[in-house]
Amino acid sequence: MTTGVQTLRTWIAQSKKIVFLTGAGISTASGLADFRGKEGLEKRKSPIPYETLLSIDFFMAHPEEFYRYYKEFLIVGDTKPNIAHQKIAALGDRVLAVVTQNIDGLHTAAGSRNVLEVHGTTLTYSCLRCGKSYSEAYVKAGEGIPHCSCGGILRPDIVFYGEGLDGRCWQSAVAAIASCDLLVVVGSSLVVYPAAGLVRMRGREAKLVIVNNDPTPYDREADLVLHEDISAVFAAL
């Protein structure tokens, strides 16, 4: 165990109001690609940038092309939580909230309770015409564009580029981070706003820890930075 991991372990043991802010890097050990890592989605060859593919305008104009990419790269399917998701869930009530930029639902699957998915989820879908809800299994089983029984097109319950975040979810995230005594950022590049700005919502007394393979713009503000393998760090906690 490195000195940094030992310090994080001590701070977690001493803290009663912990918030985890997680990004795509926490789920790579579960087999999901992140966006900006060495094997991330933005490195994969595509004639259309992923910011465009995942924009609301592109979805509305080209739903068939959107779903072709989406089903190949973004549907979670049988993916399971890894050691990091499990260790966070095991902390129980000492975790005020898990604020996640991820849309994979793995924190909830691991057993974490107050999970705030600021970018939505791929696990549920809504009809654009009548609002009826559908599961990921329904969408995964079909081909092409998924449709509701009323004939309307289904959209994943994610926040597309070009859409605003859910106000209630955002305010809950801000409130949790403002009242925490330890904020642990895990697997986030901290470059996507407004979610990255949540780091500065913490109180003056709250410690900030960043666990990420690559440097982030907030490393200098952190009390502890671990550029180490996320699974290895959590396995040692």
Side-chain angles (χ1 to χ4, degrees), residues 31-51:
L32 298 179
D34 61 9
F35 283 100
R36 295 173 178 81
K38 294 179 181 179
E39 303 297 328
L41 293 179
E42 72 172 2
K43 303 293 193 303
R44 300 181 180 183
K45 293 181 179 179
S46 171
I48 305 172
Y50 77 89
E51 291 96 338

Side-chain angles (χ1 to χ4, degrees), residues 193-212:
Y193 285 83
L198 287 167
V199 171
R200 289 184 173 162
M201 302 294 182
R202 70 191 188 283
R204 291 183 179 180
E205 302 302 318
K207 293 184 177 68
L208 172 62
V209 177
I210 297 176
V211 185
N212 196 53

Side-chain angles (χ1 to χ4, degrees), residues 41-234:
L41 293 179
E42 72 172 2
K43 303 293 193 303
R44 300 181 180 183
K45 293 181 179 179
S46 171
I48 305 172
Y50 77 89
E51 291 96 338
T52 300
L53 282 163
L54 296 178
S55 69
I56 187 61
D57 289 342
F58 186 87
F59 171 76
M60 297 301 291
H62 309 284
E64 186 170 7
E65 190 166 358
F66 165 82
Y67 269 111
R68 186 161 52 246
Y69 171 88
Y70 177 86
K71 288 182 178 182
E72 181 177 359
F73 295 118
L74 293 179
I75 282 189
V76 176
D78 297 327
T79 302
K80 304 297 183 185
N82 60 55
I83 187 66
H85 300 107
Q86 294 163 355
K87 283 292 186 77
I88 291 172
L91 292 171
D93 292 339
R94 290 197 294 126
V95 178
L96 284 180
V98 178
V99 181
T100 185
Q101 297 169 269
N102 298 341
I103 56 178
D104 54 37
L106 292 180
H107 283 296
T108 299
S112 287
R113 287 185 279 276
N114 189 25
V115 180
L116 302 173
E117 297 168 312
V118 295
H119 292 160
T121 178
T122 63
L123 302 186
T124 59
Y125 299 75
S126 298
C127 175
L128 291 174
R129 181 182 296 175
C130 72
K132 185 178 178 179
S133 183
Y134 286 82
S135 69
E136 179 187 68
Y138 175 85
V139 172
K140 187 178 179 182
E143 296 183 1
I145 303 171
H147 287 83
C148 175
S149 57
C150 77
I153 293 176
L154 302 186
R155 61 157 286 169
D157 291 332
I158 63 173
V159 178
F160 285 92
Y161 285 97
E163 291 187 311
L165 302 183
D166 178 84
R168 288 186 180 181
C169 182
W170 180 256
Q171 289 304 317
S172 295
V174 170
I177 290 174
S179 59
C180 74
D181 56 12
L182 176 64
L183 175 60
V184 186
V185 178
V186 185
S188 175
S189 60
L190 294 177
V191 297
V192 177
Y193 285 83
L198 287 167
V199 171
R200 289 184 173 162
M201 302 294 182
R202 70 191 188 283
R204 291 183 179 180
E205 302 302 318
K207 293 184 177 68
L208 172 62
V209 177
I210 297 176
V211 185
N212 196 53
N213 286 332
D214 301 312
T216 81
Y218 286 89
D219 284 1
R220 291 186 179 182
E221 298 183 22
D223 299 285
L224 176 65
V225 177
L226 299 175
H227 289 154
E228 303 181 32
D229 179 79
I230 292 170
S231 294
V233 168
F234 277 86

Side-chain angles (χ1 to χ4, degrees), residues 1 4-6 8-10 12 20 87 226 232-237:
M1 183 187 301
V5 174
Q6 189 170 7
L8 175 56
R9 184 177 183 179
T10 299
I12 288 177
F20 287 90
K87 283 292 186 77
L226 299 175
V233 168
F234 277 86
L237 293 180

